[in-house]
Amino acid sequence: MDDLLFPANMPAITGENTGQVRALVEIPHQWGVNSLAISPDGLRLASAYEVVRVFEMATGEQTASLQGGEGVAQDVIFSPDGALIAVASSDGAVRLWAANAGVQMGVLRASRTVLTSVAYSPDGSWIAAGSGNYAGEPSD
């Protein structure tokens, strides 16, 4: 599994060095991957679908499996300080997890049933979540 993740000292991707880029080969989700996020310090990778899996970038070792709620994880993001992971889910919730411990810290509920995206403000004081227009009606 050591070839699965980008090296921490990889140079910026440019037209001159694209042949040197190694891609992720396999992330063990049964149905695919909806979202990926790299921690601000570049040490961890989170992937989302039926659960959120957290990996060490240097080794590829899975360090956590975050499960919660009834829905599919649609989007995942680390907080700007890397302490939390926010997950938007198809059950209409954003779940907040302690990134190092894998412990659920809270749940934010939305009026929509499917949340498809999540974002943090640069200072980490706000979380925004977006939904898709699955009912064929205008979005709020």
Side-chain angles (χ1 to χ4, degrees):
M1 208 160 149
D2 56 354
D3 287 336
L4 297 183
L5 302 173
F6 292 104
N9 61 351
M10 189 174 118
I13 300 170
T14 66
E16 289 79 39
N17 68 0
T18 55
Q20 300 171 17
V21 175
R22 293 189 304 163
L24 296 170
V25 176
E26 178 183 355
I27 295 178
H29 286 281
Q30 182 176 359
W31 303 107
V33 174
N34 281 343
S35 178
L36 296 169
I38 296 175
S39 62
D41 61 10
L43 299 178
R44 291 167 291 171
L45 171 78
S47 63
Y49 191 76
E50 71 278 3
V51 297
V52 172
R53 299 181 192 278
V54 182
F55 302 89
E56 291 296 324
M57 292 286 286
T59 65
E61 177 185 350
Q62 182 176 323
T63 59
S65 179
L66 313 177
Q67 295 179 289
E70 300 294 321
V72 172
Q74 299 291 323
D75 196 17
V76 60
I77 189 169
F78 283 88
S79 61
D81 65 3
L84 296 174
I85 296 173
V87 180
S89 179
S90 65
D91 67 0
V94 172
R95 288 180 176 73
L96 302 175
W97 299 85
N100 289 331
V103 175
Q104 187 171 298
M105 304 300 291
V107 179
L108 307 170
R109 297 273 175 209
S111 60
R112 296 270 179 167
T113 57
V114 176
L115 294 179
T116 57
S117 59
V118 64
Y120 268 99
S121 64
D123 66 1
S125 63
W126 289 88
I127 295 175
S131 64
N133 185 5
Y134 293 102
E137 301 170 3
S139 296
D140 293 336

